[in-house]
Amino acid sequence: MRKMVIGCMIMGNQFTHTKKVLANGDLNQSDSRKWDEDIDETIKNQVENLIREAVPEDAEYFIEQVTSENQAIDVGRADAYVAVPFGNYNENDVNLFDASFTALYSKNRPVVLSVFPYEKIWSYGAVFYPYFVRDTRKIDAFLNLKHQVYISKDRENLRELLAALQVKFKVNHSKALCIGEPMYEPYHSWNWGYAMIRLAQEKFGLEWNHLSSDKFLEKFKSWDKSFARGSILSEAANDYTPEGYDTSKAEKMYHIFRELLEEYDANVFTVNCLWSMIHNGCATTACYPLSKLNDEKIVSACEADITTMINMLIVSLASNSPAFMLNPYLFPEDNKLFVSHCTSPRKHSFDSESLDDFNIYSYYEKPLLPCGLQILKETGPVTVTGISHDKMDEMIVIRGNIVRNTAFSSCRTQVEIDVEGDIREITENYEGRHWAMVYGDQSRKIQLAGQMLGLNVKIF
């Protein structure tokens, strides 16, 4: 995937130092233009510092100055623009400033407005950019277009907005690989799973690649390359599998998944492991491979759940962390959220090398199959999300704290989570089927990214 490119536009050619005017204290406006100054290298350097600090690490940027409609038409190509409004003095046509904003927006890319603070700089552009926000909002609504104009509060908020836009960029440019039949949710419809494949492409723009269960089983049976056996057992803290249990096929499945992902150049993945023939046909589960893939920045969902795959992709990119796909259980009287699944990543974030310990068991749902992983999660703050399975247009975001790992009759990785507020409110706004969880309070980052992608995001 190529890097996101952000274009920073210095809109205008003049500005006024606020302190100079206020310190003078003279209210005589006979020659008020005496305070106007041309944008010089000092101002350009300030804009450079602003954008350099705000642009995500793995994105690129360039800076241009725009003082006319034609210059706005000719600006360089970018995936998003940051417009910094100053004054624009043109004796022939003062309305050129209005047109330069709308010409920039015609690139059909997000535009973030970053306004220098009044205490530092006063500019006539501060009266024009709200016209642009007003007009584009109304035009976009009339034409049923997505409104992509954002206003930055300050430097930190600009950094947040650009990070969220980068998530949108990466989702839009992702390449997905699905093995097997899609999950037939919601409403247990046989058609809806396939409709979700179309919706994922249309709504989120990602490229779709699909491989049937038959084709995958053929590959699995014929694949005979060498690989290191026993890696699961060497990584596990404890081995609770029955005597004679063979985990090598789970290791083999991981290597085949990696090979297919490289073949399709995919960065997001799901497989129908549970209800397809794959589990029985391969005599193993996908729990171990999916755990490793998520830790390796390949967003990987089980059960060919397309909507949860999208949920995990958004959450993982926004938080820079691998996401744990899970089944949620809600207990209103205790105000508890309980979650479980037989696979989970071990990393807390992609910036950390520390790994959660895990125990290895037989697979919970089919005890004859290897293998289920009990990832021992650390206590502390987490963020849990669910995305609507019918339209993929709603997302719930829950802030909570892991209290403890548990050992109920459920999938192997399971934890108890305290949630502030009333669990009934979450139940009444329930979205999704499987949910996703990441370490830390990532709610703000996820909310902004979800909104950039057209989701209605509610935080609990």
Side-chain angles (χ1 to χ4, degrees), residues 284-300:
T284 187
T285 68
C287 302
Y288 173 74
L290 295 176
S291 173
K292 287 184 68 68
L293 290 173
N294 275 301
D295 281 335
E296 294 167 359
K297 284 193 173 182
I298 304 294
V299 175
S300 301

Side-chain angles (χ1 to χ4, degrees), residues 369-382:
L369 288 177
C371 49
L373 306 182
Q374 180 190 33
I375 310 296
L376 301 171
K377 313 299 280 188
E378 284 194 9
T379 58
V382 290

Side-chain angles (χ1 to χ4, degrees), residues 274 287 302-303 324-329 338-344 361-366 372-375 405-415 433-434:
L274 186 58
C287 302
C302 56
E303 300 184 45
F324 170 28
M325 177 180 175
L326 50 87
N327 290 315
Y329 302 66
F338 174 87
V339 304
S340 71
H341 233 200
C342 279
T343 183
S344 165
Y361 293 84
S362 62
Y363 182 56
Y364 171 70
E365 305 235 15
K366 295 185 178 182
L373 306 182
Q374 180 190 33
I375 310 296
N405 293 273
T406 59
F408 293 106
S409 179
S410 181
C411 298
R412 301 300 188 182
T413 298
Q414 47 181 267
V415 294
R433 182 184 184 278
H434 294 111

Side-chain angles (χ1 to χ4, degrees), residues 102-161:
T102 53
L104 181 65
Y105 193 44
S106 72
K107 308 297 181 185
N108 199 31
R109 295 292 185 267
V111 175
V112 181
L113 292 156
S114 179
V115 185
F116 267 65
Y118 169 72
E119 67 175 15
K120 293 183 178 180
I121 289 174
W122 182 96
S123 72
Y124 209 66
V127 74
F128 281 102
Y129 85 80
Y131 301 165
F132 166 65
V133 176
R134 174 201 65 194
D135 293 347
T136 54
R137 183 182 72 246
K138 294 189 176 184
I139 290 170
D140 288 347
F142 181 77
L143 296 176
N144 198 28
L145 298 172
K146 183 182 178 184
H147 189 58
Q148 298 189 87
V149 177
Y150 308 95
I151 305 168
S152 168
K153 171 69 176 172
D154 51 31
R155 287 174 177 250
E156 179 58 33
N157 186 225
L158 179 60
R159 188 180 294 111
E160 289 179 332
L161 290 169

Side-chain angles (χ1 to χ4, degrees), residues 163-219:
L165 283 171
Q166 187 180 48
V167 173
K168 179 182 183 300
F169 171 82
K170 288 185 175 181
V171 170
N172 294 160
H173 290 80
S174 287
K175 296 181 181 180
L177 172 62
C178 176
I179 295 175
E181 309 84 343
M183 175 177 279
Y184 301 130
E185 284 274 4
Y187 320 130
H188 303 290
S189 165
W190 286 82
N191 295 320
W192 216 292
Y194 287 104
M196 291 299 98
I197 292 175
R198 290 168 38 227
L199 183 60
Q201 296 173 80
E202 176 127 353
K203 184 176 179 66
F204 299 103
L206 75 173
E207 179 184 306
W208 191 261
N209 299 283
H210 208 156
L211 188 69
S212 70
S213 298
D214 287 345
K215 287 285 187 182
F216 178 77
L217 286 173
E218 288 175 12
K219 184 176 183 68

Side-chain angles (χ1 to χ4, degrees), residues 28-83:
N28 185 338
Q29 297 188 36
S30 300
D31 187 19
S32 58
R33 286 196 178 277
K34 68 182 178 182
W35 301 111
D36 294 345
E37 298 181 41
D38 290 335
I39 288 177
D40 57 13
E41 289 304 312
T42 301
I43 293 298
K44 290 180 181 178
N45 288 337
Q46 289 182 30
V47 173
E48 169 87 25
N49 290 335
L50 170 74
I51 196 71
R52 186 178 62 248
E53 292 173 5
V55 168
E57 285 186 9
D58 54 345
E60 298 175 345
Y61 71 91
F62 63 88
I63 299 176
E64 292 185 22
Q65 187 173 3
V66 175
T67 60
S68 70
E69 180 179 359
N70 281 315
Q71 286 181 342
I73 290 172
D74 291 333
V75 298
R77 290 181 177 271
D79 301 298
Y81 292 96
V82 176

